Amino acid sequence: MGRMRAREGLRGAPVSGTGRSSGPRDANRATDARMDYEAACAPAMESARSLLGTADRLLWGDAGGGVAELLGATATSVVRLRHVDSLPWSEVARSLSLSPSTCRQLEGAAMDLMDALGPGRVLDGNGCATEPMDI
């Protein structure tokens, strides 16, 4: 969409009210195309925002809970950087000053925990400390 906006550019209206082209041309064609594209993408964009909000709540919780409460901020950051921000392992490791293998281990533990507990218990921070589980 940024390229579409840049292509539109700023154009002043001719003083005489007529353009210099030899045929009819819609001066707002690029703007109309971008607006149509934005409208067509709006439901998908809203769905993506909602999904990212859910992911952040699962990871960081709402005033407590989440993976952060159950496994700590480092494991949570690994999952966020890798799966939400889509960073390669080398970037995740560099961001957290950890080795890539440690990041993979933390990510595995966090994913296993979320699979075992399910989203409701993860959101509540209701993990193994409050209720024994066979893992």
Side-chain angles (χ1 to χ4, degrees):
M1 282 192 247
R3 287 184 294 195
M4 294 174 99
R5 286 183 194 273
R7 187 175 53 223
E8 292 169 29
L10 294 175
R11 295 184 199 102
V15 175
S16 66
T18 60
R20 294 185 183 143
S21 65
S22 60
R25 183 175 186 277
D26 182 3
N28 293 321
R29 185 181 64 201
T31 301
D32 292 341
R34 178 189 49 83
M35 291 173 68
D36 290 344
Y37 180 73
E38 285 176 345
C41 290
M45 294 293 286
E46 185 54 38
S47 176
R49 280 187 207 96
S50 175
L51 186 61
L52 287 172
T54 300
D56 275 335
R57 282 195 325 278
L58 280 169
L59 293 172
W60 300 105
D62 289 326
V67 174
E69 186 168 298
L70 297 169
L71 291 180
T74 303
T76 305
S77 295
V78 168
V79 174
R80 175 78 160 89
L81 292 169
R82 178 65 178 165
H83 295 288
V84 177
D85 296 341
S86 300
L87 294 180
W89 285 117
S90 60
E91 291 292 320
V92 173
R94 186 174 30 242
S95 296
L96 298 172
S97 299
L98 298 169
S99 71
S101 63
T102 299
C103 290
R104 285 187 194 95
Q105 289 172 352
L106 289 169
E107 183 259 357
M111 298 303 273
D112 288 346
L113 178 83
M114 288 188 283
D115 284 343
L117 296 179
R121 291 180 63 196
V122 171
L123 277 172
D124 294 339
N126 210 3
C128 298
T130 60
E131 193 175 311
M133 291 183 53
D134 294 328
I135 299 181

